[in-house]
Amino acid sequence: DDGQGGILQVNSTDPSDIVTTFIGVNIKKQDNSLVNIINVVGNYLLIFPTRQISVLGLNFTMIGAGWGVVGAAVATTFSTIVGALLLLVICFTRKSEMQISLKDNFKLDFEELKTVFTISFPAMLERFAMSSASVVVASTVASLGTVALAAQNLAGTAESLSFMPGFAFGTAATTLFGQCIGAKKPELAKKYVNNTVKLGSVVMGFMTVVLFTQSKLIMSFFTPDVEVIEMGSVLIKILALIQIPQMIAMVYSGALKGGGDTKSPFFVALISMWGVRILGILICIHIFHLGITAICVCMCTDNVTRYELMHLAEDILMSTGCITPIYYYADIYMIDDSVEGFFANPLGYKYFYN
């Protein structure tokens, strides 16, 4: 997945992150759900040709374009365009602090552009470092044969499906950390990150058990090839062991980005991806002539290294106070000291308890 990306995917992702930060996760969830539904339905209709199918004893004709791989590409591209356009519509129509109006002054502010470039350029370099490393990994795995390539791709797909909660916790860390720092509540920001790590560890711990104990069953969902299942199940067991540190690394990375620090994630990705994953893989394959299992171990070592470095970077960020929040949050209200049972969270919601 790190090797994929393009203009449309950037447009679909970045506004979504803005919506998440300013409005909440509901808009992003609804948009992603619609995109996924369009993608799945589009793939089903465009990949396969028109054919007869049977459901509950009823036979009927299912139309299809029969485009194969091209159909999959068209469906994915179309769903991505729809998602990007919907997010743009939200930016222009939804009443919020982030609403864009054609009546706004669009005159270039070079000071603001400088700030945007300072934050976004390291993030671009981070994606480039990760994507280019993924290309090297894929080409190295391909040199081991089609069975190894299939096993690695399917094991990675299975692991990524189980890791969806990890992405959610990373997004939560970005949103909560950025809003707390913008509200000048660094201690609360730290507390949110710690609680996110604890909750995420419980969830990903469960996913670790599922992946490790059901690796062969999971692989059998993707392919009937016995050799691929055997090899892939071993890889899934190895990948299962790094679910928690990988999730924690994403939480710390999200917190750093929420605080405006995009340089640290870039340097961490550069060191872990190229200094640990790629260097380790090249040594294992080309010098010691090891197999696909060694590649998987190198990938896991990269994730553990990234977790340690992200944790260190987050500690430095909090201890030095060198923070430029991406989101400046202000919430002004008055409350009498005699009022009890009142709580206001960093998202601006007010709660009253009996």
Side-chain angles (χ1 to χ4, degrees):
D1 290 340
D2 290 335
Q4 299 176 350
I7 295 175
L8 291 174
Q9 286 181 310
V10 171
N11 286 342
S12 178
T13 301
D14 291 349
S16 182
D17 290 339
I18 296 172
V19 170
T20 301
T21 302
F22 283 90
I23 299 179
V25 299
N26 287 333
I27 297 297
K28 184 174 183 180
K29 179 176 66 176
Q30 294 168 9
D31 183 77
N32 286 345
S33 298
L34 179 60
V35 169
N36 288 328
I37 291 173
I38 295 175
N39 192 19
V40 171
V41 174
N43 273 271
Y44 186 76
L45 295 177
L46 298 181
I47 292 176
F48 304 105
T50 299
R51 60 206 179 279
Q52 293 290 325
I53 63 175
S54 177
V55 178
L56 299 177
L58 300 176
N59 297 320
F60 59 93
T61 301
M62 173 59 67
I63 61 173
W67 291 352
V69 175
V70 175
V74 171
T76 301
T77 301
F78 178 74
S79 64
T80 305
I81 292 175
V82 172
L85 291 177
L86 284 177
L87 290 176
L88 287 176
V89 170
I90 292 171
C91 290
F92 278 93
T93 59
R94 188 175 180 86
K95 299 296 183 180
S96 68
E97 297 177 17
M98 64 161 287
Q99 183 179 12
I100 302 174
S101 172
L102 294 177
K103 298 179 181 180
D104 292 340
N105 181 10
F106 290 96
K107 182 180 178 180
L108 292 178
D109 187 325
F110 290 98
E111 287 299 320
E112 290 186 1
L113 288 176
K114 181 180 178 181
T115 302
V116 171
F117 180 81
T118 302
I119 294 176
S120 62
F121 186 68
M124 180 196 72
L125 293 179
E126 178 192 1
R127 295 304 307 173
F128 178 78
M130 297 179 69
S131 298
S132 57
S134 297
V135 173
V136 176
V137 172
S139 62
T140 305
V141 173
S143 67
L144 299 177
T146 55
V147 174
L149 181 60
Q152 192 266 346
N153 284 335
L154 294 179
T157 300
E159 189 260 351
S160 65
L161 291 174
S162 73
F163 198 71
M164 289 299 102
F167 290 106
F169 290 118
T171 301
T174 301
T175 304
L176 295 173
F177 191 92
Q179 291 182 338
C180 288
I181 294 300
K184 300 184 180 352
K185 299 178 180 179
E187 293 302 321
L188 185 58
K190 184 72 174 180
K191 181 179 179 180
Y192 271 125
V193 171
N194 291 337
N195 288 339
T196 302
V197 168
K198 293 176 182 177
L199 179 59
S201 297
V202 173
V203 175
M204 298 314 297
F206 172 76
M207 299 308 300
T208 296
V209 174
V210 173
L211 288 175
F212 194 87
T213 59
Q214 305 298 322
S215 58
K216 286 188 177 182
L217 177 62
I218 293 172
M219 282 296 299
S220 66
F221 291 147
F222 294 94
T223 178
D225 191 296
V226 177
E227 189 175 1
V228 174
I229 291 175
E230 288 295 330
M231 185 178 294
S233 64
V234 174
L235 301 183
I236 289 180
K237 288 182 187 297
I238 298 174
L239 292 171
L241 301 178
I242 52 96
Q243 293 299 293
I244 293 178
Q246 189 174 1
M247 179 277 304
I248 296 176
M250 293 193 67
V251 170
Y252 286 135
S253 176
L256 290 168
K257 293 173 182 176
D261 181 8
T262 55
K263 293 182 180 179
S264 294
F266 160 61
F267 287 119
V268 169
L270 187 64
I271 293 171
S272 63
M273 289 293 289
W274 285 92
V276 177
R277 178 180 295 201
I278 300 302
L279 182 60
I281 288 175
L282 294 178
I283 291 175
C284 289
I285 300 302
H286 297 293
I287 296 180
F288 294 104
H289 305 290
L290 301 176
I292 185 67
T293 303
I295 292 180
C296 191
V297 171
C298 290
M299 294 170 63
C300 293
T301 305
D302 155 42
N303 282 288
V304 174
T305 303
R306 194 179 310 172
Y307 149 65
E308 293 290 349
L309 293 177
M310 286 293 187
H311 192 183
L312 176 62
E314 196 261 351
D315 283 342
I316 294 174
L317 180 70
M318 295 302 297
S319 62
T320 59
C322 299
I323 296 174
T324 305
I326 291 178
Y327 177 50
Y328 297 85
Y329 186 85
D331 186 24
I332 302 174
Y333 59 89
M334 298 178 63
I335 183 169
D336 191 273
D337 293 337
S338 62
V339 176
E340 298 180 352
F342 171 79
F343 172 72
N345 70 8
L347 299 177
Y349 296 105
K350 310 298 186 296
Y351 299 96
F352 295 89
Y353 302 96
N354 293 329

